[in-house]
Amino acid sequence: MTEPRCERCGTPDAVQLGERTLCETCYFEMNSCCGHEFEPVPAMEGPVLKVVKGDITTLQVDAIVNAANKTLLGGGGVDGAIHRAAGPKLLAKCATLAGCKTGKAKITPGYRLPAAFVIHTVGPVWHGGQQGEPDLLASCYRNCLNLALENNAIRTVAFPSISTGVYRYPKDQAAELAIRTVNETLTPFPGRLEVSFCCFSDEDADRYRRLLACEV
Ligand code: ADP
């Protein structure tokens, strides 16, 4: 059997492409210069962001984020719920961490939680928005994601709406900033992490769904 040769340049290893027999180089050159159909470049996969309504302590994810206070010694709201569900070993571990500054994050095991890890972060208290609150809240999301990215056992992470409870950060602004910061931080790592925004109420979940639909 004769070897198929490119009808344009004569190179062996050509293939039949419709009516033509072409090598890869000629196929590329002909299609790229005349604007004919060409293999589409697959779209870059963006970060995977989801909305979940419910109690973050029940989620089957690799890591949940705790909206803690600077002592890391437990408190109310989501912090209290996480400590109750994880059991006393979490408090004992947190007591060795020497607290956490606003905007920073620290990681511990999840103990009795379904999640293997808890990433504790301290959101800013809302004082009207002129005291660095947006930068600090963005730092919380970034630092939590950086800890998750450093740990190959973490592929799925769930965040509560940090600072929007007792710390009074306006919910719309907090959700918009959360989505934008997570998107920006994960864009260089396509497919590496799946992030859920865990909302405690229908109203909060609707807010995130609305914002995600219009891609903040
Ligand atoms: P902060 O002090 O950072 O404001 P809070 O715990 O008071 O933290 O509230 C943060 C958010 O967590 C609020 O939107 C609140 O509704 C929500 N929340 C409280 N408990 C839970 C829970 N078990 N699971 C998920 N979200 C929760």
Side-chain angles (χ1 to χ4, degrees), residues 54-56 67 76-78 81 160-167 171 198 200 204:
D55 178 351
I56 201 164
V78 71
S161 302
I162 303 166
S163 282
T164 62
V166 195
Y167 285 3
K171 285 174 176 249
C198 178
F200 212 34
D204 289 349

Side-chain angles (χ1 to χ4, degrees), residues 52 54-59 66-69 75-82 84 121-125 137 159-169 171 198-201 204:
V52 181
D55 178 351
I56 201 164
T57 65
T58 65
L59 298 186
N66 182 14
N69 58 51
V78 71
D79 194 7
I82 288 173
R84 277 193 299 280
T121 188
V122 182
V125 176
L137 188 58
F159 281 93
S161 302
I162 303 166
S163 282
T164 62
V166 195
Y167 285 3
R168 306 181 313 272
Y169 204 109
K171 285 174 176 249
C198 178
C199 301
F200 212 34
S201 67
D204 289 349

Side-chain angles (χ1 to χ4, degrees), residues 109-122:
Y111 300 101
R112 288 193 212 143
L113 288 163
F117 300 95
V118 180
I119 302 174
H120 307 261
T121 188
V122 182

